[in-house]
Amino acid sequence: MLRGVNLDIERGETTVICGESGQGKSVLLKHILGLVKPDRGQVLVEGEDISRLKGASLNRLRTRFGVLFQGVALFDSMNVFDNIALPLRERSRLSEPEVKIKVEKSLQIMDLEGSAGKFPDQLSGGMKKRVGLARALQLEPDILLFDEPTTGLDPVKSHDVYRLFFSTQKRLGYTSVIVSHDIPKIFNLADKIAILHQGEVRACMTPDELQRSRDPFVQDFIVRVMGKAYNVKDEIGIKGMV
Amino acid sequence: MLQVLIGFDRGFRVLFEGLQRLGRLGLSSLESMGRSALFLFWTLRGALLPPYKLRPVLRQIQVIGSGSFLVIMFTGAFVGMVLGLQGYYTLSKYGSSSALGAAVALSLIRELGPVLTALMVIGRTGSAMCAELGIMRISEQIDALDCMAIDPYRYLVAPKLIAGLLSIPLLTAVFNVVGVFGGYMVGVVLLHGNGGAYVASMSSSITTIDLKMCFVKSVCFAFLLVWICAEHGFWVNRRAWGFGAEGVSRATTSAVVASSVSVLVADYVITSLML
């Protein structure tokens, strides 16, 4: 599915990967996580090729990641509290009272107080995303990957997710990679935008560079997905609202 | 001449396609066997190496063991009663109704107890185990565990294996005891056979080897059923069963069939080795 992907993601930056459906965006995230191995080439995370790591060394590197899956992937047999507590119970040395304090703080930040005992099936789409984000942040990752974080959410809920994402990034300073269709809103969050087409990264640039780009492919992509030429000033500033 | 050449070409193509299909089948079978072996290896590693966590094992014992208790009691009672009924009328024809206790107990302990317990657990818990892991796989819950650096074999499968190995031999023992009691109720209480002869023939015919055989069988069946059912669910996405709910349902059907057949084959092998 992927061929000729050449992408550098800088520490502390937000890189948005966009492209049409079926171009390999989610597969690219799975490569970054080492869930899928490339036929050839390297996926370097802090200088280590994650595609060649196994066992304990792979786990050690993975503890630096947090992931928010497209379908959120909450454990449906566990309630919200246990879902958020799982990484702490399994991967940290915190005692149960310490876990409780940390999870309750996360529930407060994510505006989920009162939902600790609910099961994923009892939550709305936006609440599930917030629980997923809270779980992904528990081990304070250096790198956070989001696969379609706002799919299926109405504009208000999408805005809430972005607000939470941006405030937590400001606080924790993680590197983030976002796969999204939420164009052009997502451009406002991005330090860099990578456009994936037919398994290749056809462009990787800042939103300003994207606007000024003379590349016919980039211009065509922007017009196709937005129905007009992209202008940064048209967008509502999510960053400014946090 | 041209027709002969065309016929030869067509025949060659059919042969070539047949060989290709055979090769594909061989490769996919080999891949499937390798995947199953690796699955077992990682599960055993997860079960044997620390840290040990008691709570998930206890939860699985509750699901596999105590959850199946009533079904096993019920099945054991009726199997014992049928054996008592059939045995009494058959043995009476030869004037050997006093050997009813031995016939019922030996049938149960050597064969029916371990086999029927395993088949009941496959139907009740093995299918659920496969469906649970299959749904976790297709909804990316297993990927989420991987991403959190939590070993899914240790976290999800190893407790099921340990609980199965502890629960199924105990369930088999319950099946045997209830079955012997069911046989007694029919052969002695209902048909007015000799109660003393029932107990005496049973205790004189059952040896330690019979009990060992029963234990070995129940442990092996527990191992096989958890391995097969869990593996089918865990790798539901790697087989040609389709995706989503249909894939899970076909995986579950296949897991039940494969584990039931494996139990019956293993039963023959163990019996032939231990008799």
Side-chain angles (χ1 to χ4, degrees), chain A residues 59 62 75-76 78 86 91, chain B residues 140-141 146-149 155:
Chain A
N59 279 346
R62 274 183 178 159
F75 298 102
D76 42 22
M78 291 181 195
L86 182 73
R91 297 297 309 175
Chain B
E140 294 181 314
Q141 292 176 44
D146 269 326
C147 295
M148 286 185 263
Y155 185 74

Side-chain angles (χ1 to χ4, degrees), chain B residues 66-105:
Chain B
S66 71
S68 307
F69 191 74
L70 273 180
V71 180
I72 292 297
M73 290 256 288
F74 196 73
T75 319
F78 279 93
V79 168
M81 284 159 74
V82 167
L83 282 176
L85 201 61
Q86 292 277 12
Y88 185 83
Y89 284 113
T90 310
L91 292 170
S92 297
K93 281 184 192 169
Y94 305 100
S96 316
S97 58
S98 58
L100 181 64
V104 170

Side-chain angles (χ1 to χ4, degrees), chain A residues 35-36, chain B residues 28 31-32 35 137 231-243:
Chain A
L35 291 174
V36 177
Chain B
S28 72
E31 189 193 336
S32 174
R35 196 170 46 233
R137 170 63 73 190
E231 196 268 343
H232 273 64
F234 195 89
W235 289 127
V236 69
N237 58 334
R238 294 283 182 95
R239 296 178 194 250
W241 284 323
F243 294 93

Side-chain angles (χ1 to χ4, degrees), chain A residues 30 33 35 59 62-63 65 67 69-71 73-76 78 86-87 89-91 135 139, chain B residues 42 45 53 59 132 135-136 139-151 154-155 238:
Chain A
K30 288 187 175 179
L33 284 163
L35 291 174
N59 279 346
R62 274 183 178 159
T63 51
F65 285 104
V67 188
F69 283 90
Q70 191 171 358
L74 296 178
F75 298 102
D76 42 22
M78 291 181 195
L86 182 73
R89 285 177 178 152
E90 293 293 323
R91 297 297 309 175
R135 186 179 70 180
L139 296 175
Chain B
W42 290 113
R45 187 176 172 275
K53 296 210 170 179
R59 198 164 48 230
E132 180 195 337
I135 289 167
M136 290 189 83
S139 58
E140 294 181 314
Q141 292 176 44
I142 295 179
D143 287 343
L145 284 175
D146 269 326
C147 295
M148 286 185 263
I150 299 169
D151 180 0
R154 181 197 301 276
Y155 185 74
R238 294 283 182 95

